[in-house]
Amino acid sequence: MSKEYNVFISHAWSYHSELEDLRRLIDARAYFKAEYSEVSRDKPINSISAPYIKTVLKKKILESNIIIGLAGMYASHSDWMEWELQTAFDNNIPIIGVVPRGALRISATVSSRAIEIVRWNTESIISAIRNNSI
């Protein structure tokens, strides 16, 4: 029986389609099981209280085997992504940066905290998850 990975994908809210595309890419891989714990438009935290949101997010991050940071340049302008990635980094949760399709540059917010940076390729992403997760 294969291991099931708890994956938290740090992403910018306005780039929700990249989150969905990445989930589909991972889920299409045979013999690989992932459960996703990030907050998305599908399952938002219904609160405007930043401390409460951070408490919920931190719990999800700490329960994850690995964090994937979508490494588009928009990550450098997202306070939430920076907070999520720094929280993971400070708690020794491994971070993988995934370069979005067609991107030529990547965000320092992601690259400065990532243990590995991979391109938008199923095998590269799955291999990075397997090799770096806790």
Side-chain angles (χ1 to χ4, degrees):
M1 182 174 206
S2 64
K3 177 179 178 174
E4 184 172 307
Y5 296 87
N6 187 339
V7 179
F8 183 102
I9 303 173
S10 182
H11 63 286
W13 203 257
S14 56
Y15 289 83
H16 185 75
S17 62
E18 282 188 357
L19 169 67
E20 292 173 333
D21 290 346
L22 181 56
R23 285 180 183 169
R24 277 192 294 276
L25 188 73
I26 293 169
D27 290 342
R29 177 61 160 75
Y31 307 108
F32 187 83
K33 302 278 187 226
E35 189 69 33
Y36 303 102
S37 58
E38 71 278 343
V39 175
S40 68
R41 287 184 185 172
D42 305 343
K43 297 180 182 177
I45 299 171
N46 292 318
S47 177
I48 59 169
S49 167
Y52 175 74
I53 293 169
K54 286 180 177 180
T55 298
V56 172
L57 287 172
K58 184 173 183 178
K59 182 177 187 302
K60 290 175 173 289
I61 291 167
L62 295 178
E63 292 173 349
S64 299
N65 300 113
I66 194 120
I67 307 299
I68 295 178
L70 284 169
M73 288 306 295
Y74 49 79
S76 295
H77 307 285
S78 170
D79 293 339
W80 282 107
M81 283 187 73
E82 183 167 355
W83 183 87
E84 290 168 351
L85 294 170
Q86 190 62 45
T87 298
F89 186 83
D90 290 345
N91 287 280
N92 300 312
I93 308 296
I95 300 166
I96 297 169
V98 174
V99 180
R101 277 180 287 210
L104 300 175
R105 298 178 11 185
I106 63 172
S107 168
T109 297
V110 178
S111 65
S112 66
R113 294 169 176 88
I115 194 166
E116 186 173 351
I117 302 288
V118 296
R119 293 295 212 183
W120 193 275
N121 172 283
T122 305
E123 293 308 314
S124 298
I125 296 167
I126 299 301
S127 178
I129 292 170
R130 285 184 169 149
N131 292 335
N132 295 297
S133 70
I134 54 173

